[in-house]
Each structure stands twice: as C-alpha cells, then as structure tokens.
Amino acid sequence: MACANCKFRAQYDKNPKSLIGRFWRFHINFCPGWRSYLKSLSDEERIALKEKYNLK
C-alpha cells in the first residue's frame, strides 16, 4: 500500500517538525487511505503505529 512507502511519512520520520512532516501528521487525521492502511495491518502493527505517531 502507498502509505507504507509514503515520502511524506518518511519526511515526518526524519524530521517531524518539517513543513512536509507536519502536513503529513495533520493529513492522517482524516485520510481515508491511511485508515484503510491501518485496518489492513495486524493488531500488533496497528498498535505500534498508533504509539509511534501518538494516534487515538
């Protein structure tokens, strides 16, 4: 899936305070693709991502 290899996500991981990184973090709050991506993951992977990106 595209979310796993997203360049914006990589930028966020590299520098969360960058403009692109902040945009990506804002964007995942309402992105249907990101939600589908999370649903496609195993429970363990989903929990790890939620902790990593401080998601609800």
Side-chain angles (χ1 to χ4, degrees), residues 1-14 20-21 23-25 27-28 31 34 37 53:
M1 183 159 242
C3 295
N5 301 317
C6 177
K7 292 179 183 181
F8 291 162
R9 180 179 170 190
Q11 185 66 31
Y12 179 87
D13 290 341
K14 185 177 175 182
I20 292 174
F23 173 78
W24 176 82
R25 182 61 182 86
H27 172 77
I28 65 169
C31 177
W34 178 256
Y37 172 66
Y53 297 122

Side-chain angles (χ1 to χ4, degrees), residues 9 16 18-19 25 30 34 43 47-48:
R9 180 179 170 190
S18 69
L19 182 61
R25 182 61 182 86
F30 56 86
W34 178 256
D43 289 339
I47 290 168

Side-chain angles (χ1 to χ4, degrees), residues 29-51:
N29 289 321
F30 56 86
C31 177
W34 178 256
R35 289 184 185 158
S36 296
Y37 172 66
L38 285 179
K39 288 179 184 177
S40 72
L41 298 174
S42 69
D43 289 339
E44 294 169 351
E45 291 172 317
R46 188 178 312 116
I47 290 168
L49 279 181
K50 286 183 176 187
E51 289 176 1

